């Protein structure tokens, strides 16, 4: 057994013990482990496991740790590399600040900020709920009170909080209180989480500007709430747009088409009003 295979088997053993692993996944992982321990050819066993897991991967129904295992089985080791969260826990410099935004699935909220000048780091995670260290499965159930969100660490010398707010409003449907686009439920509701009085004042001013813009016929329902603990999401969800490029482009494409139509209608509405 080579080093790569040993690492996969180590992760399989850990995933079997992980409470978040589904029964279906665990059955296949246990079978693979038993087959290897029973003397079957490792490469053949892992190929079989990859085939067993592929249908769930295509539907994005694998739990995070098993998704990482599948990435390794599929030859995409980069997607399975553990994401470095040390920057999330580090103290910010005097010229740095953080913003926390929720706007539906966090997969589509990372890239627009991450690729902007002045952004130090962007993390996918959960916030606003009442359970410590929540998992994706717990948050998805809608019973923890959390929403999927992104935490953005930015250099205030390069980009301002107001700049990030302006971008945020371009990424969400501010008239949809119980989800965003195809993602439905309270865990996908749009929220601006403010960390201090200055951020709250800026968020409220931006809300008023959107409300007065005439772009939307329906009420603006984005919530502005005090920030609470931000819990980073599992490795699989971090930098999803880099690790799962094809799937991200498909999801983001649908989102952009819906937003493009809404923005076009809004511009026409404003034009008609001014005539």
């Amino acid at each position: 057994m080579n080093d790569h295979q040993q690492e996969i088997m180590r992760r399989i053993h850990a995933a079997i013990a992980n409470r978040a692993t589904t029964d279906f996944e665990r059955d296949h992982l246990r079978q693979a482990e038993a087959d290897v321990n029973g003397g079957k050819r490792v490469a053949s066993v892992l190929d079989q496991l990859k085939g067993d897991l592929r249908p769930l991967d295509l539907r994005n129904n694998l739990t995070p740790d098993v998704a990482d295992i599948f990435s390794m089985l599929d030859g995409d080791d980069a997607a399975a590399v553990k994401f470095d969260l040390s920057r999330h826990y580090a103290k910010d410099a005097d010229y740095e600040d953080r913003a926390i935004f929720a706007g539906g699935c966090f997969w589509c909220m990372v890239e627009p900020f991450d690729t902007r000048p002045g952004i130090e780091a962007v993390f996918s995670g959960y916030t606003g709920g009442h359970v410590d260290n929540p998992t994706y499965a717990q948050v998805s159930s809608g019973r923890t009170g959390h929403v999927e969100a992104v935490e953005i660490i930015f250099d205030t010398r390069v980009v301002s909080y107001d700049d990030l707010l302006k971008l945020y409003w371009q990424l969400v449907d501010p008239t949809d209180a119980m989800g965003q686009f195809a993602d439905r439920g309270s865990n996908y509701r749009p929220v601006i989480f403010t960390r201090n009085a200055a951020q709250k004042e800026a968020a409220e001013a931006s809300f008023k500007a959107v409300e007065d813009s005439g772009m939307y016929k329906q009420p603006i329902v984005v919530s502005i709430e005090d920030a609470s603990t931000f819990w980073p999401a599992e490795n699989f969800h971090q930098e999803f747009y880099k690790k799962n490029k094809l799937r991200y482009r498909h999801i983001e494409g649908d989102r952009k088409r819906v937003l493009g139509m809404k923005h076009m209608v809004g511009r026409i509405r404003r034009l008609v009003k001014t005539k």
Side-chain angles (χ1 to χ4, degrees), residues 87 95-96 114 116 118-122 152-155 157:
R87 186 64 187 85
Y95 55 83
E96 292 175 329
D114 198 33
R116 188 182 181 94
I119 301 302
E120 304 288 340
V122 183
I152 304 156
I153 303 176
F154 61 100
D155 186 333
R157 301 170 300 181

Side-chain angles (χ1 to χ4, degrees), residues 99-121:
I100 301 175
F101 299 134
C105 177
F106 45 28
W107 290 350
C108 294
M109 290 292 289
V110 174
E111 187 264 348
F113 292 103
D114 198 33
T115 53
R116 188 182 181 94
I119 301 302
E120 304 288 340

Side-chain angles (χ1 to χ4, degrees), residues 7-186:
E7 175 60 17
I8 293 176
M9 294 308 301
R10 185 192 68 76
R11 293 199 183 198
I12 286 174
H13 185 76
I16 291 171
N18 188 338
R19 289 183 298 174
T21 301
T22 66
D23 290 340
F24 176 87
E25 293 170 332
R26 187 174 287 106
D27 287 346
H28 284 292
L29 296 176
R30 280 175 171 164
Q31 185 61 57
E33 188 174 59
D35 288 344
V36 170
N37 290 338
K40 288 189 176 180
R41 185 168 171 265
V42 177
S44 298
V45 172
L46 296 183
D47 279 344
Q48 178 62 48
L49 179 61
K50 180 172 69 173
D52 292 336
L53 297 179
R54 185 175 295 280
L56 274 75
D57 175 75
L58 292 173
R59 297 196 301 272
N60 191 38
N61 284 339
L62 292 174
T63 54
D65 284 353
V66 179
D68 290 344
I69 292 171
F70 181 84
S71 294
M72 296 185 72
L73 292 170
D74 208 32
D76 189 3
D77 288 0
V81 173
K82 291 301 180 184
F83 188 75
D84 182 8
L85 290 171
S86 60
R87 186 64 187 85
H88 164 74
Y89 298 105
K91 180 178 174 57
D92 293 338
D94 292 340
Y95 55 83
E96 292 175 329
D97 200 357
R98 302 192 185 208
I100 301 175
F101 299 134
C105 177
F106 45 28
W107 290 350
C108 294
M109 290 292 289
V110 174
E111 187 264 348
F113 292 103
D114 198 33
T115 53
R116 188 182 181 94
I119 301 302
E120 304 288 340
V122 183
F123 303 101
S124 295
Y126 318 111
T127 192
H130 53 79
V131 174
D132 290 348
N133 296 300
T135 65
Y136 180 75
Q138 288 175 318
V139 174
S140 297
S141 73
R143 294 193 292 268
T144 69
H146 292 88
V147 294
E148 291 190 12
V150 291
E151 179 186 60
I152 304 156
I153 303 176
F154 61 100
D155 186 333
T156 60
R157 301 170 300 181
V158 180
V159 62
S160 69
Y161 185 67
D162 284 336
D163 292 333
L164 300 184
L165 284 169
K166 289 176 184 176
L167 178 55
Y168 171 78
W169 289 107
Q170 294 300 308
L171 301 176
V172 300
D173 176 1
T175 66
D176 191 347
M178 288 304 293
Q180 290 287 290
F181 315 105
D183 301 307
R184 312 312 304 161
S186 60

